[in-house]
């Protein structure tokens, strides 16, 4: 996006951006933590997707926050999604197994993968 100064801001992931944001990304990252912000980005993408999913950020005793993703078709089917750095790259992962879902920079593809997971399949998981 071009700002009033004419500098372009390029978003490279839910929490990373290049020059032009006045340090807002770094301040948010410091205040909330990258994990929470990536999960918030996933929550937002799920909220506007066409997949029949509901979700919400939940705390787990002694562990980092996770996003509980629930099937809209069958509320008994759900998956806890965490966010971890793997090989220097942030990934959305299954909180129970650590299995990779998608890298955070592919957040737009996550709802389809998660819908497959809560439907009982593992299509699209990595």
């Amino acid at each position: 996006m071009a700002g009033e100064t004419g500098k372009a801001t390029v978003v490279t992931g839910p929490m990373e951006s290049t020059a032009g944001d006045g340090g807002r990304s770094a301040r948010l990252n410091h205040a909330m933590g990258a994990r929470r912000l990536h999960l918030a980005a996933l929550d937002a993408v799920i909220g506007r997707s066409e997949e029949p999913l509901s979700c919400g950020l939940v705390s787990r005793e002694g562990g980092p926050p996770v996003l509980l993703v629930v099937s809209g078709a069958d509320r008994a089917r759900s998956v806890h999604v965490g966010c971890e750095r793997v090989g220097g790259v942030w990934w959305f992962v299954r909180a129970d197994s650590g299995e990779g879902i998608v890298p955070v920079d592919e957040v737009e593809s996550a709802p389809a993968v998660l819908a497959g997971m809560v439907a009982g399949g593992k299509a699209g998981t990595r």
Side-chain angles (χ1 to χ4, degrees), residues 90-106:
W90 281 101
W91 276 75
F92 295 114
V93 298
R94 287 184 66 120
D96 59 352
S97 68
E99 175 186 8
I101 299 170
V102 296
V104 297
D105 63 352
E106 296 177 23

Side-chain angles (χ1 to χ4, degrees), residues 1 6 11 13 26 37-38 41 61 79 91 95 100 106-107 109 115 125-126:
M1 294 180 184
V11 176
L37 289 171
H38 290 310
E61 188 174 326
V79 63
W91 276 75
E106 296 177 23
V107 67
S109 66
T125 60
R126 299 176 187 188

Side-chain angles (χ1 to χ4, degrees), residues 17-107:
S17 67
T18 61
D21 76 351
R24 287 186 301 269
S25 295
R27 288 191 301 272
L28 276 172
N29 195 5
H30 178 72
M32 294 185 68
R35 177 177 286 114
R36 282 184 184 267
L37 289 171
H38 290 310
L39 291 173
L42 178 57
D43 184 6
V45 169
I46 289 171
R48 70 173 190 262
S49 83
E50 294 181 14
E51 299 295 340
L53 300 171
S54 298
C55 63
L57 194 62
V58 296
S59 296
R60 296 184 309 159
E61 188 174 326
V66 296
L67 195 67
L68 174 60
V69 180
V70 180
S71 168
D74 180 356
R75 297 277 180 202
R77 301 188 71 69
S78 65
V79 63
H80 286 92
V81 178
C83 188
E84 299 293 333
R85 283 186 75 83
V86 178
V89 176
W90 281 101
W91 276 75
F92 295 114
V93 298
R94 287 184 66 120
D96 59 352
S97 68
E99 175 186 8
I101 299 170
V102 296
V104 297
D105 63 352
E106 296 177 23
V107 67

